Each structure stands twice: as C-alpha cells, then as structure tokens.
Amino acid sequence: MTKKIFLALIMVALNGCTTIIWMHPTKGDGKISTMRSPKGSDSFIRDYDNCGKIADQYVNSVDKVSDPCLADRQRIKCMKDKYGWKIKGKYTKN
C-alpha cells in the first residue's frame, strides 16, 4: 500500500506543471492545471465541476477510489461526450 501512495505522490508532483487548454465552439474556453482551480468561461467551470461529480460517482460505483487516473479519464470523457468540449493542447511549464 505504501508503494501505491508513493507512486501517486510522484505522479501528482510530475503532473503539477501541466496545463490543459479546453475549447468549445459556443461556450468559450478554459484551462486547468493539476491541483489548481479551473479558469475560463462560466460554462467551462460549471461543466468541469459537473463532470468531476459524475467522475467521482463512477469511481465510487466501481469501488476504485484508490485510482486517481480513472477519475481523470472519466472527467475528460464527460467533458468531451456530454458537453462537447475539446482539448486544444497540453502544455508543460519548464
């Protein structure tokens, strides 16, 4: 169990500098950095928060709470499939 926690902390530390830029044809744009609040249009923030709740419910329903990547994948899927957002790019700050 200690190895899993250690690996999760390393992953968070390495992804801490990544910014994902989201675009939508009618709702504007937004961006999210790991461990930071989303920034962008009101629609982006609302959709991002709603997808976070949906992702959390899914992760809890399949009893995989210890898998942070599963929640991220579900949130991205929700943003794309349910609300029509597209990832414009991923940038790593050096």
Side-chain angles (χ1 to χ4, degrees):
M1 187 63 154
T2 305
K3 285 184 181 182
K4 287 183 181 180
I5 293 171
F6 179 72
L7 290 174
L9 290 173
I10 297 255
M11 184 178 70
V12 168
L14 293 175
N15 287 330
C17 298
T18 302
T19 301
I20 300 174
I21 309 295
W22 291 88
M23 297 294 295
H24 192 279
T26 59
K27 295 182 179 181
D29 62 350
K31 66 178 160 180
I32 183 71
S33 297
T34 306
M35 304 294 287
R36 293 193 173 90
S37 298
K39 295 188 179 2
S41 68
D42 291 338
S43 295
F44 172 75
I45 293 170
R46 183 183 62 247
D47 293 350
Y48 191 83
D49 288 341
N50 287 340
C51 285
K53 292 174 187 172
I54 291 168
D56 289 342
Q57 288 173 350
Y58 174 77
V59 169
N60 289 331
S61 73
V62 295
D63 199 25
K64 298 280 187 175
V65 178
S66 62
D67 187 358
C69 294
L70 181 60
D72 288 339
R73 287 191 302 266
Q74 284 302 120
R75 185 187 300 241
I76 290 171
K77 181 179 178 190
C78 174
M79 289 290 285
K80 290 179 177 180
D81 295 346
K82 185 171 183 177
Y83 294 110
W85 289 91
K86 295 181 181 179
I87 294 177
K88 180 179 178 186
K90 294 180 183 181
Y91 305 99
T92 302
K93 298 175 187 174
N94 293 328

XYZ file of all heavy atoms in Angstrom:
743
model
N 0.821 -1.188 0.000
C 0.000 0.000 0.000
C 0.867 1.254 0.000
O 0.525 2.234 -0.630
C -0.923 -0.047 1.218
C -1.927 1.058 1.208
S -2.989 0.885 -0.211
C -4.418 1.687 0.354
N 1.984 1.200 0.702
C 2.881 2.343 0.767
C 3.431 2.678 -0.609
O 3.589 3.848 -0.942
C 4.035 2.053 1.751
O 3.475 1.690 3.002
C 4.917 3.252 1.923
N 3.707 1.650 -1.416
C 4.216 1.885 -2.776
C 3.189 2.635 -3.614
O 3.539 3.525 -4.372
C 4.571 0.564 -3.455
C 5.846 -0.057 -2.964
C 6.162 -1.299 -3.765
C 7.434 -1.949 -3.272
N 7.783 -3.127 -4.053
N 1.906 2.269 -3.471
C 0.859 2.931 -4.249
C 0.756 4.406 -3.868
O 0.614 5.264 -4.725
C -0.486 2.241 -4.038
C -0.598 0.909 -4.714
C -1.973 0.323 -4.519
C -2.075 -1.037 -5.171
N -3.405 -1.622 -5.004
N 0.825 4.695 -2.586
C 0.750 6.084 -2.140
C 1.948 6.870 -2.645
O 1.819 7.986 -3.133
C 0.652 6.151 -0.599
C -0.689 5.575 -0.149
C 0.817 7.578 -0.093
C -0.817 5.378 1.342
N 3.115 6.263 -2.559
C 4.329 6.914 -3.031
C 4.261 7.198 -4.533
O 4.580 8.306 -4.981
C 5.554 6.033 -2.719
C 6.842 6.608 -3.195
C 7.401 7.709 -2.563
C 7.507 6.060 -4.281
C 8.591 8.252 -3.003
C 8.696 6.582 -4.729
C 9.241 7.687 -4.081
N 3.798 6.224 -5.302
C 3.672 6.421 -6.753
C 2.638 7.493 -7.079
O 2.835 8.288 -8.008
C 3.317 5.104 -7.440
C 4.424 4.057 -7.451
C 3.899 2.744 -8.030
C 5.626 4.537 -8.241
N 1.558 7.531 -6.330
C 0.542 8.568 -6.562
C 1.112 9.955 -6.287
O 0.854 10.903 -7.039
C -0.685 8.311 -5.696
N 1.893 10.082 -5.228
C 2.511 11.375 -4.918
C 3.503 11.798 -5.988
O 3.559 12.968 -6.361
C 3.190 11.322 -3.549
C 2.254 11.241 -2.357
C 3.055 11.026 -1.072
C 1.397 12.471 -2.251
N 4.273 10.864 -6.500
C 5.226 11.165 -7.574
C 4.476 11.626 -8.824
O 4.859 12.594 -9.474
C 6.086 9.927 -7.906
C 6.909 9.556 -6.716
C 6.905 10.152 -9.153
C 8.351 9.874 -6.759
N 3.383 10.932 -9.149
C 2.610 11.276 -10.338
C 2.039 12.687 -10.212
O 2.088 13.479 -11.161
C 1.479 10.272 -10.533
C 0.686 10.495 -11.802
S -0.594 9.279 -12.027
C -1.711 9.756 -10.723
N 1.512 13.014 -9.052
C 0.951 14.350 -8.832
C 2.047 15.403 -8.945
O 1.863 16.456 -9.556
C 0.238 14.426 -7.463
C -0.084 15.858 -7.095
C -1.022 13.589 -7.492
N 3.204 15.116 -8.394
C 4.314 16.071 -8.454
C 4.767 16.300 -9.891
O 5.031 17.432 -10.300
C 5.479 15.584 -7.608
N 4.844 15.249 -10.677
C 5.285 15.390 -12.061
C 4.249 16.066 -12.936
O 4.582 16.782 -13.867
C 5.644 14.016 -12.641
C 6.870 13.349 -12.034
C 7.045 11.950 -12.614
C 8.116 14.177 -12.251
N 2.982 15.849 -12.646
C 1.913 16.453 -13.442
C 1.530 17.835 -12.937
O 0.683 18.486 -13.527
C 0.679 15.554 -13.441
C 0.881 14.331 -14.278
O 1.624 14.361 -15.251
N 0.241 13.246 -13.904
N 2.131 18.300 -11.889
C 1.771 19.574 -11.298
C 1.993 20.767 -12.195
O 1.424 21.825 -11.987
N 2.804 20.630 -13.208
C 3.126 21.749 -14.083
C 2.424 21.658 -15.429
O 2.701 22.451 -16.316
C 4.633 21.806 -14.297
S 5.544 22.085 -12.778
N 1.551 20.703 -15.621
C 0.865 20.534 -16.887
C -0.411 21.366 -16.908
O -1.174 21.367 -15.958
C 0.515 19.059 -17.124
O 1.712 18.302 -17.099
C -0.183 18.861 -18.441
N -0.624 22.079 -18.011
C -1.843 22.859 -18.208
C -2.574 22.297 -19.419
O -1.978 22.085 -20.467
C -1.510 24.340 -18.451
O -0.794 24.831 -17.328
C -2.769 25.155 -18.649
N -3.866 22.055 -19.258
C -4.703 21.575 -20.359
C -5.628 22.708 -20.768
O -6.328 23.281 -19.942
C -5.520 20.344 -19.944
C -4.580 19.210 -19.524
C -6.429 19.898 -21.086
C -5.292 18.007 -18.967
N -5.597 23.038 -22.057
C -6.442 24.093 -22.620
C -7.649 23.440 -23.299
O -7.481 22.582 -24.159
C -5.664 24.943 -23.656
C -4.339 25.442 -23.083
C -6.528 26.073 -24.185
C -4.459 26.406 -21.947
N -8.846 23.861 -22.903
C -10.091 23.336 -23.461
C -10.745 24.402 -24.339
O -10.703 25.575 -24.023
C -11.061 22.976 -22.339
C -10.661 21.795 -21.518
C -9.865 21.807 -20.410
C -11.043 20.446 -21.710
N -9.741 20.539 -19.912
C -10.459 19.689 -20.694
C -11.834 19.799 -22.658
C -10.633 18.311 -20.586
C -12.015 18.435 -22.548
C -11.412 17.707 -21.523
N -11.387 23.967 -25.410
C -12.113 24.861 -26.310
C -13.509 24.296 -26.574
O -13.688 23.091 -26.609
C -11.383 25.003 -27.649
C -10.008 25.623 -27.571
S -10.030 27.336 -27.067
C -10.887 28.093 -28.418
N -14.463 25.206 -26.770
C -15.825 24.826 -27.148
C -16.302 25.836 -28.190
O -16.040 27.034 -28.055
C -16.738 24.844 -25.918
C -18.052 24.200 -26.148
N -19.095 24.838 -26.779
C -18.495 22.961 -25.841
C -20.130 24.030 -26.843
N -19.791 22.878 -26.280
N -17.000 25.385 -29.230
C -17.404 26.306 -30.305
C -18.338 27.430 -29.861
O -18.318 28.510 -30.440
C -18.081 25.406 -31.337
C -18.253 24.079 -30.717
C -17.386 24.010 -29.502
N -19.155 27.199 -28.821
C -20.102 28.238 -28.404
C -19.945 28.680 -26.953
O -20.476 29.720 -26.576
C -21.553 27.742 -28.591
O -21.754 26.561 -27.809
C -21.846 27.455 -30.052
N -19.237 27.919 -26.136
C -19.148 28.214 -24.713
C -17.840 28.891 -24.305
O -17.630 29.143 -23.131
C -19.309 26.936 -23.898
C -20.668 26.294 -24.018
C -20.741 25.064 -23.137
C -22.096 24.396 -23.193
N -22.150 23.225 -22.308
N -16.961 29.146 -25.241
C -15.705 29.808 -24.904
C -14.575 28.825 -24.683
O -14.485 27.811 -25.364
N -13.714 29.145 -23.739
C -12.567 28.288 -23.479
C -12.298 28.232 -21.983
O -12.930 28.907 -21.189
C -11.332 28.777 -24.230
C -10.898 30.168 -23.792
O -11.646 30.838 -23.058
O -9.798 30.587 -24.171
N -11.338 27.407 -21.639
C -10.948 27.271 -20.253
C -9.643 26.533 -20.155
O -9.179 25.936 -21.117
N -9.048 26.590 -18.986
C -7.823 25.828 -18.781
C -7.767 25.340 -17.353
O -8.352 25.925 -16.447
C -6.587 26.626 -19.142
C -6.281 27.809 -18.288
C -4.997 28.461 -18.763
C -4.900 29.876 -18.273
N -3.685 30.532 -18.708
N -7.081 24.239 -17.205
C -6.929 23.632 -15.890
C -5.489 23.172 -15.735
O -4.902 22.635 -16.649
C -7.912 22.451 -15.700
C -7.819 21.857 -14.294
C -7.733 21.389 -16.733
C -8.380 22.752 -13.241
N -4.945 23.462 -14.584
C -3.636 22.950 -14.202
C -3.866 21.983 -13.059
O -4.758 22.179 -12.238
C -2.719 24.079 -13.734
O -2.483 24.986 -14.769
N -3.059 20.956 -12.999
C -3.203 19.979 -11.928
C -3.100 20.681 -10.589
O -2.265 21.537 -10.376
C -2.103 18.914 -12.060
O -2.150 18.374 -13.369
C -2.293 17.798 -11.052
N -3.989 20.312 -9.675
C -4.007 20.835 -8.309
C -4.421 22.301 -8.221
O -4.183 22.953 -7.228
C -2.646 20.651 -7.623
C -2.134 19.225 -7.600
S -3.140 18.133 -6.607
C -2.687 18.694 -4.990
N -5.019 22.850 -9.271
C -5.482 24.237 -9.243
C -6.930 24.283 -9.694
O -7.418 23.407 -10.380
C -4.624 25.084 -10.164
C -3.203 25.206 -9.656
C -2.463 26.297 -10.394
N -1.172 26.530 -9.804
C -0.064 25.906 -10.160
N -0.103 24.998 -11.079
N 1.077 26.186 -9.574
N -7.608 25.342 -9.343
C -8.995 25.525 -9.756
C -9.050 25.829 -11.253
O -8.159 26.476 -11.785
C -9.613 26.692 -8.988
O -9.621 26.430 -7.618
N -10.123 25.389 -11.919
C -10.258 25.690 -13.347
C -10.457 27.179 -13.573
O -11.049 27.874 -12.755
C -11.492 24.889 -13.764
C -12.262 24.667 -12.511
C -11.254 24.629 -11.400
N -9.949 27.652 -14.694
C -10.109 29.053 -15.075
C -10.703 29.092 -16.472
O -10.395 28.257 -17.304
C -8.761 29.765 -15.063
C -8.141 29.847 -13.670
C -6.924 30.718 -13.680
C -6.226 30.908 -12.382
N -6.646 30.292 -11.213
N -11.554 30.071 -16.719
C -12.149 30.207 -18.033
C -13.573 30.712 -17.936
O -13.964 31.330 -16.941
N -14.341 30.423 -18.960
C -15.716 30.905 -19.014
C -16.545 30.246 -17.908
O -16.191 29.186 -17.377
C -16.330 30.602 -20.380
O -16.501 29.209 -20.553
N -17.652 30.883 -17.566
C -18.554 30.322 -16.552
C -19.058 28.943 -16.971
O -19.195 28.050 -16.139
C -19.738 31.256 -16.309
C -19.335 32.549 -15.618
O -18.277 32.574 -14.960
O -20.082 33.534 -15.741
N -19.326 28.773 -18.263
C -19.799 27.479 -18.772
C -18.742 26.404 -18.576
O -19.060 25.270 -18.203
C -20.149 27.579 -20.254
O -21.233 28.439 -20.445
N -17.476 26.748 -18.823
C -16.399 25.778 -18.641
C -16.317 25.328 -17.186
O -16.253 24.131 -16.892
C -15.052 26.359 -19.084
C -13.890 25.469 -18.735
C -13.644 24.317 -19.455
C -13.060 25.777 -17.673
C -12.590 23.482 -19.124
C -12.000 24.955 -17.334
C -11.761 23.800 -18.063
N -16.328 26.272 -16.275
C -16.197 25.945 -14.854
C -17.388 25.103 -14.395
O -17.218 24.098 -13.693
C -16.049 27.225 -14.019
C -14.708 27.896 -14.366
C -16.141 26.927 -12.528
C -14.527 29.282 -13.799
N -18.584 25.449 -14.815
C -19.779 24.685 -14.445
C -19.702 23.256 -14.999
O -19.914 22.278 -14.271
C -21.036 25.382 -14.952
C -22.322 24.677 -14.546
C -23.565 25.330 -15.122
N -23.553 25.299 -16.576
C -23.456 26.389 -17.353
N -23.380 27.590 -16.830
N -23.461 26.280 -18.659
N -19.378 23.120 -16.299
C -19.288 21.799 -16.919
C -18.177 20.964 -16.281
O -18.334 19.769 -16.040
C -19.048 21.922 -18.424
C -20.237 22.516 -19.158
O -21.323 22.669 -18.544
O -20.086 22.848 -20.357
N -17.043 21.602 -15.993
C -15.904 20.897 -15.389
C -16.276 20.374 -14.001
O -15.969 19.226 -13.656
C -14.695 21.836 -15.320
C -13.406 21.138 -14.965
C -12.655 20.485 -15.939
C -12.938 21.124 -13.658
C -11.479 19.842 -15.620
C -11.766 20.482 -13.322
C -11.034 19.848 -14.314
O -9.869 19.192 -13.992
N -16.950 21.189 -13.220
C -17.376 20.762 -11.883
C -18.414 19.640 -11.967
O -18.363 18.673 -11.202
C -17.929 21.936 -11.090
C -16.850 22.913 -10.645
O -15.656 22.532 -10.627
O -17.199 24.066 -10.324
N -19.374 19.766 -12.891
C -20.380 18.715 -13.062
C -19.736 17.394 -13.464
O -20.102 16.333 -12.953
C -21.434 19.114 -14.101
C -22.384 20.170 -13.589
O -22.519 20.369 -12.387
N -23.028 20.865 -14.508
N -18.774 17.450 -14.364
C -18.087 16.231 -14.787
C -17.248 15.651 -13.657
O -17.087 14.431 -13.571
C -17.217 16.500 -16.023
S -18.186 16.655 -17.535
N -16.735 16.488 -12.790
C -15.998 15.994 -11.630
C -16.907 15.185 -10.711
O -16.517 14.133 -10.202
N -18.118 15.660 -10.517
C -19.087 14.933 -9.689
C -19.467 13.604 -10.340
O -19.556 12.573 -9.665
C -20.331 15.782 -9.469
C -20.084 16.990 -8.600
C -21.296 17.880 -8.527
C -20.969 19.166 -7.783
N -22.068 20.130 -7.854
N -19.679 13.629 -11.652
C -20.025 12.407 -12.377
C -18.868 11.407 -12.301
O -19.082 10.211 -12.076
C -20.381 12.737 -13.839
C -21.711 13.496 -13.884
C -20.445 11.482 -14.694
C -22.029 14.119 -15.224
N -17.640 11.888 -12.464
C -16.461 11.010 -12.406
C -16.311 10.406 -11.015
O -16.015 9.215 -10.877
C -15.212 11.788 -12.791
N -16.536 11.202 -9.986
C -16.430 10.691 -8.617
C -17.480 9.616 -8.351
O -17.193 8.591 -7.718
C -16.570 11.816 -7.602
C -15.369 12.743 -7.575
O -14.292 12.350 -8.081
O -15.505 13.865 -7.042
N -18.695 9.847 -8.828
C -19.750 8.849 -8.649
C -19.388 7.544 -9.349
O -19.601 6.456 -8.801
C -21.080 9.372 -9.199
C -21.700 10.456 -8.363
C -22.927 11.065 -9.018
O -23.226 10.814 -10.184
N -23.634 11.899 -8.266
N -18.826 7.663 -10.557
C -18.440 6.462 -11.302
C -17.346 5.691 -10.561
O -17.440 4.472 -10.387
C -17.966 6.830 -12.709
C -17.422 5.636 -13.458
C -18.281 4.700 -14.010
C -16.053 5.435 -13.583
C -17.794 3.590 -14.674
C -15.557 4.328 -14.245
C -16.432 3.404 -14.791
O -15.943 2.304 -15.431
N -16.318 6.404 -10.121
C -15.202 5.759 -9.426
C -15.694 5.065 -8.154
O -15.284 3.950 -7.848
C -14.087 6.787 -9.112
C -13.061 6.229 -8.169
C -13.422 7.238 -10.402
N -16.589 5.713 -7.425
C -17.144 5.097 -6.216
C -17.992 3.880 -6.549
O -17.979 2.892 -5.812
C -17.961 6.104 -5.419
C -17.093 7.147 -4.753
O -15.950 6.886 -4.411
N -17.642 8.330 -4.572
N -18.728 3.931 -7.657
C -19.617 2.819 -8.006
C -18.850 1.567 -8.423
O -19.337 0.460 -8.246
C -20.585 3.228 -9.123
O -19.914 3.328 -10.362
N -17.651 1.732 -8.980
C -16.850 0.567 -9.375
C -15.815 0.222 -8.305
O -14.966 -0.623 -8.521
C -16.175 0.765 -10.753
C -17.214 0.860 -11.843
C -15.243 1.947 -10.759
N -15.900 0.909 -7.152
C -15.031 0.641 -5.995
C -13.548 0.747 -6.359
O -12.742 -0.103 -6.008
C -15.346 -0.726 -5.402
C -14.837 -0.853 -3.981
O -14.678 0.194 -3.310
O -14.593 -1.985 -3.535
N -13.182 1.815 -7.083
C -11.791 2.058 -7.474
C -11.332 3.418 -6.972
O -10.652 4.157 -7.676
C -11.648 2.004 -9.000
C -11.986 0.683 -9.617
C -10.837 -0.260 -9.463
C -11.136 -1.537 -10.241
N -10.046 -2.451 -10.234
N -11.693 3.758 -5.756
C -11.382 5.069 -5.195
C -9.873 5.321 -5.158
O -9.417 6.452 -5.239
C -11.996 5.201 -3.780
C -11.645 6.526 -3.143
C -13.497 5.028 -3.869
N -9.077 4.279 -5.077
C -7.624 4.427 -4.987
C -6.966 4.686 -6.342
O -5.755 4.797 -6.420
C -7.008 3.184 -4.348
O -7.264 2.051 -5.153
N -7.742 4.794 -7.426
C -7.185 5.011 -8.765
C -7.497 6.432 -9.243
O -8.537 6.672 -9.837
C -7.762 3.988 -9.739
C -7.113 4.043 -11.118
O -6.235 4.911 -11.337
O -7.479 3.221 -11.974
N -6.583 7.411 -8.977
C -6.862 8.796 -9.364
C -6.921 8.996 -10.878
O -7.607 9.891 -11.351
C -5.704 9.583 -8.746
C -4.610 8.593 -8.582
C -5.280 7.268 -8.341
N -6.238 8.168 -11.623
C -6.244 8.320 -13.085
C -7.605 7.960 -13.678
O -8.012 8.533 -14.679
C -5.157 7.455 -13.712
S -3.499 7.985 -13.273
N -8.303 7.033 -13.054
C -9.625 6.645 -13.547
C -10.588 7.823 -13.477
O -11.333 8.088 -14.415
C -10.168 5.454 -12.751
C -11.538 4.938 -13.172
C -11.519 4.469 -14.621
C -11.968 3.802 -12.254
N -10.543 8.568 -12.383
C -11.415 9.741 -12.246
C -11.068 10.794 -13.302
O -11.962 11.395 -13.893
C -11.290 10.332 -10.847
N -9.783 11.012 -13.558
C -9.380 11.981 -14.587
C -9.862 11.552 -15.969
O -10.347 12.379 -16.741
C -7.863 12.154 -14.599
C -7.351 12.913 -13.400
O -8.147 13.653 -12.773
O -6.158 12.787 -13.089
N -9.720 10.277 -16.283
C -10.179 9.786 -17.591
C -11.683 9.944 -17.743
O -12.176 10.335 -18.803
C -9.770 8.325 -17.785
C -8.285 8.141 -18.041
C -7.953 6.734 -18.494
N -8.367 5.711 -17.550
C -7.591 5.181 -16.612
N -6.349 5.585 -16.483
N -8.056 4.242 -15.808
N -12.427 9.657 -16.667
C -13.888 9.808 -16.714
C -14.288 11.271 -16.869
O -15.236 11.588 -17.577
C -14.522 9.206 -15.464
C -14.571 7.710 -15.458
C -15.332 7.157 -16.640
O -14.771 6.410 -17.437
N -16.591 7.475 -16.777
N -13.577 12.173 -16.206
C -13.891 13.597 -16.319
C -13.648 14.071 -17.755
O -14.473 14.792 -18.323
C -13.052 14.416 -15.354
C -13.450 15.889 -15.358
C -12.530 16.752 -14.544
N -12.462 16.390 -13.154
C -12.798 17.191 -12.154
N -13.236 18.399 -12.382
N -12.683 16.792 -10.912
N -12.541 13.673 -18.343
C -12.235 14.068 -19.728
C -13.287 13.502 -20.679
O -13.775 14.203 -21.569
C -10.815 13.611 -20.114
C -9.790 14.458 -19.345
C -10.592 13.716 -21.614
C -8.363 13.969 -19.457
N -13.658 12.254 -20.474
C -14.687 11.632 -21.323
C -16.005 12.394 -21.211
O -16.666 12.667 -22.212
C -14.875 10.171 -20.916
C -15.883 9.443 -21.742
C -16.012 8.001 -21.306
C -17.080 7.332 -22.160
N -17.448 6.040 -21.691
N -16.379 12.753 -19.998
C -17.619 13.508 -19.768
C -17.561 14.869 -20.461
O -18.522 15.273 -21.122
C -17.849 13.679 -18.274
S -19.245 14.741 -17.840
N -16.455 15.566 -20.312
C -16.312 16.895 -20.927
C -16.485 16.809 -22.446
O -17.130 17.663 -23.051
C -14.953 17.502 -20.595
C -14.790 17.943 -19.160
S -15.764 19.386 -18.723
C -14.821 20.680 -19.515
N -15.918 15.770 -23.033
C -15.996 15.613 -24.489
C -17.368 15.118 -24.932
O -17.986 15.700 -25.823
C -14.915 14.638 -24.963
C -13.520 15.189 -24.860
C -12.501 14.162 -25.310
C -11.093 14.716 -25.273
N -10.102 13.728 -25.710
N -17.833 14.030 -24.316
C -19.055 13.370 -24.786
C -20.339 14.094 -24.368
O -21.259 14.231 -25.153
C -19.114 11.930 -24.276
C -18.004 11.061 -24.841
O -17.348 11.478 -25.817
O -17.783 9.964 -24.289
N -20.398 14.548 -23.126
C -21.642 15.137 -22.630
C -21.784 16.613 -22.988
O -22.861 17.075 -23.316
C -21.723 14.968 -21.115
C -23.030 15.438 -20.531
C -23.177 15.063 -19.076
C -24.551 15.509 -18.586
N -24.778 15.110 -17.219
N -20.678 17.359 -22.923
C -20.762 18.807 -23.102
C -20.117 19.326 -24.388
O -20.249 20.500 -24.703
C -20.153 19.522 -21.893
C -20.943 19.296 -20.626
C -20.433 18.515 -19.605
C -22.204 19.853 -20.453
C -21.155 18.297 -18.445
C -22.937 19.645 -19.302
C -22.404 18.871 -18.297
O -23.118 18.659 -17.150
N -19.389 18.488 -25.113
C -18.831 18.894 -26.396
C -17.527 19.672 -26.340
O -17.146 20.315 -27.315
N -16.805 19.638 -25.239
C -15.519 20.327 -25.127
C -14.446 19.523 -25.833
O -14.530 18.307 -25.936
C -15.142 20.508 -23.659
C -15.983 21.506 -22.957
C -17.136 21.264 -22.269
C -15.773 22.909 -22.879
N -17.647 22.437 -21.764
C -16.827 23.459 -22.120
C -14.780 23.763 -23.370
C -16.922 24.814 -21.845
C -14.871 25.110 -23.091
C -15.933 25.624 -22.343
N -13.434 20.213 -26.322
C -12.289 19.576 -26.974
C -11.012 20.105 -26.351
O -10.927 21.281 -25.989
C -12.277 19.863 -28.471
C -13.457 19.266 -29.189
C -13.406 19.554 -30.652
C -14.658 18.945 -31.293
N -14.733 19.188 -32.692
N -10.033 19.226 -26.251
C -8.729 19.647 -25.738
C -7.964 20.296 -26.874
O -7.726 19.687 -27.918
C -7.940 18.444 -25.160
C -8.660 17.916 -23.929
C -6.522 18.879 -24.807
C -8.015 16.685 -23.309
N -7.624 21.558 -26.681
C -6.841 22.287 -27.688
C -5.373 21.914 -27.583
O -4.684 21.786 -28.572
C -7.010 23.791 -27.488
C -6.245 24.617 -28.483
C -6.472 26.096 -28.259
C -5.660 26.928 -29.239
N -5.771 28.348 -28.939
N -4.894 21.733 -26.363
C -3.497 21.361 -26.191
C -3.143 21.129 -24.735
O -3.875 21.518 -23.829
N -2.023 20.466 -24.555
C -1.474 20.240 -23.225
C -0.085 20.848 -23.219
O 0.703 20.608 -24.125
C -1.376 18.745 -22.907
C -2.699 18.059 -22.799
C -2.518 16.589 -22.472
C -3.856 15.895 -22.428
N -3.729 14.472 -22.093
N 0.196 21.644 -22.228
C 1.473 22.337 -22.153
C 2.146 22.047 -20.830
O 1.497 22.061 -19.798
C 1.269 23.845 -22.321
C 0.541 24.194 -23.595
C -0.814 24.459 -23.582
C 1.209 24.192 -24.797
C -1.499 24.755 -24.740
C 0.531 24.486 -25.970
C -0.821 24.766 -25.937
O -1.493 25.038 -27.081
N 3.435 21.843 -20.879
C 4.213 21.607 -19.673
C 5.102 22.807 -19.462
O 5.868 23.202 -20.352
C 5.077 20.340 -19.793
O 4.208 19.249 -20.066
C 5.825 20.075 -18.516
N 5.008 23.401 -18.293
C 5.856 24.545 -17.953
C 7.208 24.032 -17.507
O 7.295 23.092 -16.734
C 5.215 25.360 -16.840
C 3.882 25.942 -17.235
C 3.249 26.629 -16.054
C 1.841 27.065 -16.407
N 1.132 27.598 -15.277
N 8.239 24.658 -17.973
C 9.580 24.247 -17.574
C 10.128 25.147 -16.517
O 9.860 26.215 -16.329
C 10.526 24.246 -18.764
C 10.141 23.169 -19.761
O 9.632 22.136 -19.364
N 10.371 23.401 -21.016
